[in-house]
Amino acid sequence: MTKEDFLKAVPEALEATDVPELPVTRGKVRDVYDLGDRLLLVATDRLSAFDRVLGRVPYRGQILNRLSAWWFAATRDLIENHLIAVPDPNLSLVEKARPLPVEVVVRGYITGTTKTSLWKLYQAGERRPYGVPLPEGLRKNDPLPEPILTPTTKATGPGGRDERLTREEILARGLVPQALWERIEAAALALFRRGQALAERAGFLLVDTKYEFGLVGDRLILIDELHTPDSSRYWSRASYRRGEPEHFDKEYLRLWYAERGFTGEGTPPPLPPELAAELAWRYARVFEGLTGEPFRPAPGPQRARVERAIREVAGG
Ligand SMILES: Nc1ncnc2c1ncn2[C@@H]1O[C@H](COP(=O)(O)OP(=O)(O)OP(=O)(O)O)[C@@H](O)[C@H]1O
Ligand SMILES: [Mg+2]
């Protein structure tokens, strides 16, 4: 699909689903239907940035949902995950878990533009921002000597902000028991190394990412989404070290807004259709590079198709 094709699809982007007979909760970007011991996650085309929903990106939902499923399959040997089936390109049927209250962020490079980014903290002189020592002399976008964990709390409710955590705080506050946290650390680093290796083969650098883990009984599983350009930063390999890297993730949007004077304070200007199409096109590049398949949108009007699929899964 060309950028022009994505632009034409903007008006039909999937805002939300409505299946009133089923219990639903809405996250910023996903509608979550509760089926008892399973959840049906609907990846919509809503785009969140600056802690709010900014607009819609055509086919964002199906590209990211399918890519996440691809990554779950490509990492199943490292850790169990929640995915049971993908009954529609926008849907994931998953095991319902008790989410652990920590967002497990892993970083391979020192970068970012916001006040709380690792690069800005380092520039401001911090050398142990998450309790992890960083060497002197790093420049923006340098690889870290080893990938590091920079966990945060999982903010709940509108306007909730993720708060930085160290390993010691996670244990002292009893957010996760020690033996479990050690398994999570090992799993996160193994996932990230696999992610970097597979991304490189596809012409990308996996810069950083966020994992969520949950418990089903006492089984630890990986939940939420995996290595999508929404939960991760991707740079093109070819552009690395030729100035600012080419962004294939939400950083592209943040920079676009920053160039127009918006850096997160107050109300952002609306998402222009051209920018929505550009982002979709970039997400499709990551999908195609990794899966080796051309991206073709699922046929039919999205909302009717997805709602039909939701009813089928819930009824069956
Ligand atoms: N297997 C699972 N079991 C339980 N909860 C899950 C599972 N997988 C994902 N979730 C949760 O479902 C929600 C997905 O919704 P979404 O990503 O739209 O929300 P968000 O914007 O990240 O956060 P919020 O829900 O606070 O708005 C997340 O809160 C995520 O933690
Ligand atoms: Mg989320």
Side-chain angles (χ1 to χ4, degrees):
M1 280 185 61
T2 64
K3 288 182 195 175
E4 198 55 34
D5 295 328
F6 281 110
L7 188 59
K8 282 191 208 127
V10 169
E12 286 131 63
L14 183 66
E15 173 66 37
T17 57
D18 186 24
V19 181
E21 67 270 27
L22 295 175
V24 69
T25 52
R26 290 180 211 281
K28 282 191 282 293
V29 300
R30 277 173 291 181
D31 295 346
V32 181
Y33 289 89
D34 193 330
L35 307 181
D37 57 0
R38 295 174 169 193
L39 298 175
L40 193 49
L41 303 179
V42 185
T44 71
D45 293 335
R46 300 195 291 268
L47 177 85
S48 79
F50 311 114
D51 288 321
R52 53 167 84 62
V53 176
L54 262 195
R56 292 173 303 161
V57 168
Y59 303 126
R60 194 205 76 95
Q62 46 184 288
I63 296 172
L64 299 195
N65 188 57
R66 291 177 60 195
L67 182 59
S68 205
W70 183 87
W71 276 114
F72 280 129
T75 55
R76 202 172 286 269
D77 58 315
L78 300 175
I79 180 168
E80 259 194 281
N81 63 64
H82 69 167
L83 189 64
I84 298 166
V86 180
D88 175 276
N90 287 82
L91 296 182
S92 281
L93 181 65
V94 305
E95 275 191 280
K96 192 202 286 183
R98 277 182 294 127
L100 293 166
V102 177
E103 304 214 331
V104 184
V105 179
V106 181
R107 299 175 193 272
Y109 295 78
I110 186 159
T111 190
T113 48
T114 62
K115 275 197 299 252
T116 54
S117 66
L118 194 60
W119 170 243
K120 291 290 177 190
L121 296 176
Y122 186 83
Q123 237 189 346
E126 290 204 40
R127 289 296 177 271
R128 294 180 70 91
Y130 291 82
V132 183
L134 297 174
E136 290 299 326
L138 292 177
R139 294 161 304 166
K140 184 168 188 247
N141 301 341
D142 271 351
L144 294 163
E146 296 284 330
I148 61 167
L149 266 78
T150 61
T152 67
T153 56
K154 198 170 143 52
T156 46
R161 291 261 168 179
D162 297 341
E163 177 198 332
R164 274 150 69 184
L165 289 170
T166 64
R167 175 179 216 278
E168 288 66 36
E169 284 165 344
I170 291 169
L171 304 181
R173 285 159 66 170
L175 296 175
V176 182
Q178 180 166 347
L180 193 57
W181 182 250
E182 282 166 7
R183 285 172 59 204
I184 290 173
E185 283 180 328
L189 292 172
L191 286 164
F192 192 70
R193 290 197 184 284
R194 172 75 54 84
Q196 288 198 311
L198 295 182
E200 271 205 59
R201 282 201 337 213
F204 293 98
L205 298 176
L206 179 64
V207 176
D208 46 38
T209 196
K210 181 207 71 178
Y211 303 114
E212 290 187 32
F213 293 86
L215 293 171
V216 177
D218 55 12
R219 271 165 58 229
L220 174 70
I221 65 170
L222 182 62
I223 65 169
D224 206 54
E225 59 184 313
L226 184 56
H227 295 163
T228 68
D230 257 24
S231 67
S232 322
R233 280 194 179 89
Y234 280 95
W235 295 336
S236 78
R237 258 182 96 175
S239 69
Y240 185 59
R241 287 302 183 215
R242 301 202 200 124
E244 183 65 19
E246 275 278 302
H247 299 277
F248 285 80
D249 51 57
K250 276 204 291 199
E251 198 74 6
Y252 184 87
L253 170 133
R254 292 190 199 102
L255 290 172
W256 192 96
Y257 271 76
E259 280 162 21
R260 283 150 190 84
F262 183 82
T263 52
E265 312 302 316
T267 309
L271 180 70
E274 290 73 21
L275 178 57
E278 175 71 37
L279 280 174
W281 183 84
R282 281 170 189 260
Y283 285 5
R285 299 279 73 69
V286 176
F287 173 90
E288 294 186 347
L290 282 162
T291 65
E293 277 178 62
F295 170 69
R296 291 201 193 87
Q302 295 208 77
R303 183 161 162 184
R305 191 198 75 241
V306 176
E307 288 178 352
R308 195 178 325 118
I310 295 169
R311 288 199 167 91
E312 255 166 47
V313 175

